Amino acid sequence: MASGGFVRAVMLMLVLTMAAVLAQQDLTQTSCPLCDMDIIPDLKQSILGNQGIYACEMAGHLETLRNPASKILRGPVAISALDVPYTKANIACPVCNKTDLKYALPWGNRGNQKIYACSEEHANYILTDQAKYYDGGIPAHSGEFCDHASVMFDGFQFSGGATCVKMWFQPWVLSSKLKYAMGFLGIVVLGIFLEWFGEYREAMEEVFIRKYGVTEIRDVAATDEYPKSAMSTLIQTPVVQTMQMCKLPLWCTVALSGMYMVALTVGYLIMLVAMFYDSGLFVACILGLGIGFYLFKDTEQEQMSGNIDPCCST
């Protein structure tokens, strides 16, 4: 008998849990009001009445939505039913906790998030002072170096005291002063390496040509200084000149191609760091490339090679 009662209790808990899950806002159909990107469930500002506003991982978007001065919340609109993603949500008016919801306040012009109220009067209360109806108020900063992680900031800013940088891979979050300092130094070293490697690759190409290049003599048609018509080109006999051409063995070409791909990979990694819009890491990119240029680039040669764009450097 005791075991049967335990089984029934467990089944009841499972049913209640499933009902609670089904009664929530469908987060898979929810998008950020500022950019229409998919939201992150943890980036939420809870609102009374079991409601809330969610943001994407873009740095600063949740803070913008929370801030009443941003004026993201729009005026009330009469509704006949809850829209997606709230069709199965068990929500109530933040002002009076009634579940008979007649008005919606959209968040911005993008996304599909709203705050629902039972009347136009209560909707205007929320619009006038939205922070008053936050469940628990606005959470304070954790006190750590930074909070949740993002791969891109909304304009140049420093991650300290704000959003952490997620650098290239999911686990690589610069969430402390030490990690940020290591990331900064690593990017500087990467920039120096890219400039050195560009010079090394060109030197190796010259070595391959001198040691393994096979010189071929070919007769090729000389190009005229002035253009000709199609008919005159067919009639006149082209001028032939002899040229020396150097051909590298296959393994040399493969080696040079591999080095070219390494340079492109490093260049694109630096470009992605610059696109984070973190002020400190952007300085690290420029500093590393500048130091590398100073150390390894021969500025006295007749014509400097390479490309000022690190992601497309050849």
Side-chain angles (χ1 to χ4, degrees):
M1 293 293 292
S3 61
F6 176 75
V7 171
R8 285 194 294 271
V10 171
M11 292 298 295
L12 179 60
M13 290 180 62
L14 290 175
V15 170
L16 292 175
T17 302
M18 290 298 296
V21 171
L22 292 175
Q24 298 301 313
Q25 175 181 342
D26 186 359
L27 299 184
T28 61
Q29 299 292 326
T30 304
S31 55
C32 178
L34 297 180
C35 60
D36 210 23
M37 292 172 58
D38 292 338
I39 58 93
I40 303 298
D42 293 337
L43 300 183
K44 173 188 178 182
Q45 172 60 58
S46 298
I47 299 172
L48 297 175
N50 197 31
Q51 300 191 51
I53 177 65
Y54 294 85
C56 65
E57 68 174 354
M58 184 78 75
H61 279 198
L62 180 59
E63 289 74 15
T64 301
L65 293 170
R66 281 173 172 164
N67 186 3
S70 301
K71 302 295 183 182
I72 304 298
L73 193 62
R74 305 300 181 185
V77 178
I79 60 168
S80 57
L82 299 182
D83 300 321
V84 176
Y86 302 94
T87 52
K88 296 181 180 180
N90 182 19
I91 57 179
C93 176
V95 180
C96 62
N97 208 36
K98 291 182 179 179
T99 57
D100 186 17
L101 305 173
K102 300 295 185 181
Y103 284 84
L105 295 93
W107 287 95
N109 297 321
R110 299 182 180 181
N112 54 1
Q113 299 192 64
K114 300 177 177 68
I115 297 180
Y116 289 93
C118 64
S119 65
E120 185 175 9
E121 180 183 9
H122 284 188
N124 284 321
Y125 287 166
I126 300 170
L127 183 63
T128 302
D129 189 5
Q130 68 186 57
K132 179 180 178 181
Y133 301 96
Y134 289 167
D135 190 359
I138 299 177
H141 188 265
S142 63
E144 301 293 334
F145 176 71
C146 53
D147 286 329
H148 60 271
S150 175
V151 295
M152 184 181 293
F153 290 178
D154 192 6
F156 277 106
Q157 55 187 284
F158 179 60
S159 61
T163 304
C164 302
V165 174
K166 187 186 298 181
M167 195 166 72
W168 299 322
F169 304 103
Q170 289 286 345
W172 290 15
V173 178
L174 308 184
S175 56
S176 67
K177 293 180 180 179
L178 177 61
K179 291 180 180 179
Y180 189 89
M182 292 176 62
F184 185 96
L185 292 176
I187 294 166
V188 171
V189 171
L190 205 61
I192 296 173
F193 169 80
L194 181 61
E195 290 295 328
W196 168 82
F197 191 73
E199 296 298 307
Y200 173 78
R201 183 167 58 88
E202 292 180 0
M204 289 303 300
E205 183 177 4
E206 294 178 0
V207 170
F208 286 166
I209 291 174
R210 287 199 306 268
K211 287 188 175 182
Y212 307 107
V214 178
T215 302
E216 296 180 352
I217 299 177
R218 296 182 183 179
D219 293 334
V220 296
T223 57
D224 290 339
E225 183 177 357
Y226 300 101
K228 295 181 178 181
S229 65
M231 183 59 69
S232 63
T233 302
L234 292 174
I235 295 174
Q236 296 182 8
T237 303
V239 179
V240 177
Q241 65 180 13
T242 302
M243 294 185 63
Q244 288 187 347
M245 305 183 69
C246 182
K247 185 177 181 181
L248 289 174
L250 177 61
W251 72 268
C252 291
T253 304
V254 171
L256 290 173
S257 299
M259 287 188 282
Y260 177 75
M261 288 187 288
V262 170
L264 279 182
T265 301
V266 175
Y268 274 115
L269 289 176
I270 294 176
M271 179 198 70
L272 290 174
V273 172
M275 291 177 63
F276 292 158
Y277 287 99
D278 179 88
S279 303
L281 298 184
F282 182 80
V283 170
C285 293
I286 303 303
L287 186 62
L289 293 170
I291 293 174
F293 182 93
Y294 176 80
L295 293 177
F296 303 111
K297 184 67 71 173
D298 183 7
T299 57
E300 296 182 357
Q301 60 183 341
E302 293 183 1
Q303 183 177 1
M304 286 192 295
S305 58
N307 191 324
I308 196 171
D309 186 355
C311 73
C312 307
S313 180
T314 57

